[in-house]
Amino acid sequence: NIEEPVAVFHVGSAKLERQAGSAVRAARSLHTHRRPRIAVRNIRTIGGGDGASDLAIGLTEDIRDALAHQTAVAVVDLEGDEDSIDFRLEGSVRSSGPRLRFSFALLEGTERRQVWSDRYDRELDDVFELQDEISQSVAAAIRLRVKAQIFERLKAAKNEELTVSELLDKAAGFMVRGQGYYADIESALRLALERAPDNPMAMSMLAACLYNQREVSAEKFPENVREECDALIRDALRLAPQDYFARLVSGIVHYDRDGEFEAALRDARTALDAYPGLTPARAMEGVAMLHMGDVSKGLGILEQAIKSSKMDPNRFRLSRDLAIGYFVAGRVEEAITVAQNLVEQTPGLARNQLVLAVLLQVAGRTKEAREQFARIGDPQTIRKTWIGDASAAGHFEDALAVLLTRE
């Protein structure tokens, strides 16, 4: 990992020459902060005839289009200066009757070091729906992987030595890592805003950082944090009303903190207009829809978004949303299973424990519910869980009231 520019000398092998070129490009990319360039090779077909070939052509175009909507990378042609290409995406599709296997690999530099790979096994039903799903999943995974590679070059650098854009990339890298890095994220973002007070992305990211620190708590939001979050989001949207990340953060606060599902749906769709492959916004659309009455369709959208974003830092909040969605749909045991898995993956996060405890109480499993509720400790206030369906909300509140009696 190159954190400072270096002079590279080499003798002999072509492999060493390629590695030296990649090192220089990495250092140059760090200090000039150009967007990493990615080339998407045509997806190869292995068997399957004309149908598979047509699918591969369409999927290649969709992946290029999905990546072109991102701000993390610049999509370039394979023709021209190969040394200017930072990443290459290669893929293949195999078919056996209706069964399809898609394989992808992301290669870095001219030495083509593999930094990511994944495989998707699907059955051909609706070709356009399949292309949308795979292209969005691949684009989302690439975005996170590229940001992780950038972060590796920035994480050891002192904040004072970084540009505003580099500070944002460094904060984004810590965000992907999740819990435990909020102090690092906040310090980078506050310095970015000190240098660029009108940067809407820095505002939105700081609002997200402040929100994420408290959203896992079972207690109500502190008023000072609420006011700062709201001010940051308001200013970001004033400066950039269509900015996809500002809309995403605004929507999360609308539905998750305030129960304003219609406002969240508007934010989600505005974000998707700007960035159609933004999986967390697609998930938020599903959450809002299920709480506004379209339970089946909303759940389907949410399930697909979670399936498409295995590495997304929002995945734990989305799993909690899914558990609540199953509860609204009357699928209580499925809701409990999702919530139990979430608590196992994120032990000690009180809000997830609260949701699981209430779901267990709804199912009549009072002993387990009280044991789970006791793990929360003794919160001074309980944060409201917003549910759009009045009947489901009533059952949830009644079960919570039973647990609050603390026999």
Side-chain angles (χ1 to χ4, degrees):
N1 297 322
I2 306 298
E3 293 154 358
E4 294 294 334
V6 295
V8 178
F9 300 89
H10 65 280
V11 177
S13 83
K15 181 178 180 182
L16 285 176
E17 181 176 353
R18 289 194 299 270
Q19 290 173 337
S22 292
V24 171
R25 280 197 310 281
R28 184 172 65 234
S29 179
L30 171 61
H31 289 272
T32 62
H33 199 76
R34 67 166 174 80
R35 286 191 296 166
R37 297 185 175 101
I38 182 169
V40 180
R41 290 189 176 276
N42 292 331
I43 294 172
R44 296 180 298 113
T45 56
I46 304 172
D50 292 341
S53 296
D54 291 342
L55 176 61
I57 292 169
L59 186 55
T60 300
E61 293 174 352
D62 284 355
I63 290 174
R64 284 175 179 153
D65 183 65
L67 290 170
H69 279 88
Q70 296 192 11
T71 57
V73 297
V75 180
V76 297
D77 217 343
L78 277 166
E79 301 298 327
D81 180 12
E82 287 231 354
D83 281 348
S84 71
I85 298 173
D86 301 293
F87 297 93
R88 290 165 178 78
L89 178 68
E90 297 182 348
S92 65
V93 55
R94 301 183 184 205
S95 64
S96 176
R99 296 171 58 207
L100 298 166
R101 171 166 292 175
F102 301 90
S103 299
F104 296 94
L106 185 66
L107 312 176
E108 184 180 22
T110 51
E111 72 276 14
R112 304 189 182 186
R113 182 174 64 91
Q114 182 173 299
V115 295
W116 170 82
S117 65
D118 208 344
R119 191 179 78 188
Y120 305 83
D121 291 327
R122 298 290 185 271
E123 290 200 3
L124 183 59
D125 185 9
D126 184 319
V127 65
F128 297 115
E129 185 176 306
L130 179 62
Q131 285 181 192
D132 285 347
E133 178 204 341
I134 299 297
S135 62
Q136 289 173 16
S137 296
V138 170
I142 289 172
R143 175 176 178 271
L144 290 173
R145 177 51 57 192
V146 169
K147 282 187 171 294
Q149 294 300 106
I150 295 171
F151 176 68
E152 286 302 312
R153 300 165 188 159
L154 294 171
K155 65 180 181 181
K158 295 179 180 179
N159 287 349
E160 295 74 16
E161 298 173 354
L162 301 178
T163 67
V164 169
S165 294
E166 288 167 344
L167 287 167
L168 298 186
D169 278 339
K170 185 175 182 179
F174 278 122
M175 279 184 170
V176 171
R177 294 191 168 200
Q179 301 287 326
Y181 296 95
Y182 289 123
D184 299 289
I185 298 168
E186 189 172 340
S187 62
L189 293 174
R190 290 200 183 279
L191 179 57
L193 276 174
E194 182 181 316
R195 294 181 181 173
D198 291 332
N199 187 307
M201 182 58 77
M203 293 174 182
S204 302
M205 290 178 69
L206 181 56
C209 172
L210 296 175
Y211 187 83
N212 290 341
Q213 288 183 66
R214 276 85 182 177
E215 71 99 12
V216 294
S217 171
E219 298 194 42
K220 289 182 179 179
F221 255 64
E223 195 59 33
N224 63 320
V225 178
R226 172 189 286 267
E227 290 174 358
E228 186 174 11
C229 278
D230 289 348
L232 287 164
I233 294 168
R234 184 171 57 249
D235 288 345
L237 290 174
R238 174 179 55 80
L239 292 165
Q242 307 305 313
D243 181 81
Y244 72 86
F245 194 74
R247 286 290 175 181
L248 177 65
V249 178
S250 172
I252 290 171
V253 171
H254 273 138
Y255 88 80
D256 190 58
R257 190 192 71 185
D258 301 333
E260 297 174 355
F261 297 112
E262 289 187 21
L265 185 61
R266 288 194 298 271
D267 282 330
R269 289 178 172 167
T270 302
L272 288 168
D273 285 342
Y275 183 177
L278 187 62
T279 306
R282 186 69 66 192
M284 186 163 66
E285 180 185 42
V287 172
M289 288 173 65
L290 77 87
H291 285 289
M292 291 171 64
D294 198 345
V295 178
S296 178
K297 187 172 182 180
L299 267 178
I301 292 172
L302 177 57
E303 288 170 331
Q304 184 56 57
I306 292 172
K307 186 178 180 181
S308 300
S309 57
K310 292 179 286 187
M311 298 189 299
D312 195 285
N314 295 280
R315 63 191 179 279
F316 298 127
R317 176 170 51 245
L318 299 183
S319 292
R320 186 172 61 244
D321 291 331
L322 182 63
I324 294 170
Y326 283 152
F327 167 65
V328 172
R331 297 156 60 179
V332 178
E333 288 304 320
E334 288 177 83
I336 289 172
T337 298
V338 171
Q340 284 174 328
N341 290 337
L342 180 60
V343 168
E344 288 172 7
Q345 293 175 63
T346 57
L349 300 188
R351 193 171 175 204
N352 298 336
Q353 294 170 330
L354 173 66
V355 169
L356 175 57
V358 174
L359 291 173
L360 288 167
Q361 179 60 40
V362 168
R365 295 160 61 175
T366 302
K367 183 175 183 295
E368 294 172 79
R370 289 198 177 280
E371 289 173 354
Q372 189 62 234
F373 192 75
R375 296 191 179 107
I376 298 171
D378 190 20
Q380 299 302 304
T381 58
I382 293 291
R383 180 174 180 170
K384 184 174 180 62
T385 299
W386 295 98
I387 297 174
D389 181 87
S391 176
H395 288 311
F396 194 94
E397 293 296 329
D398 289 345
L400 177 59
V402 170
L403 294 174
L404 287 170
T405 60
R406 294 185 182 276
E407 290 181 354

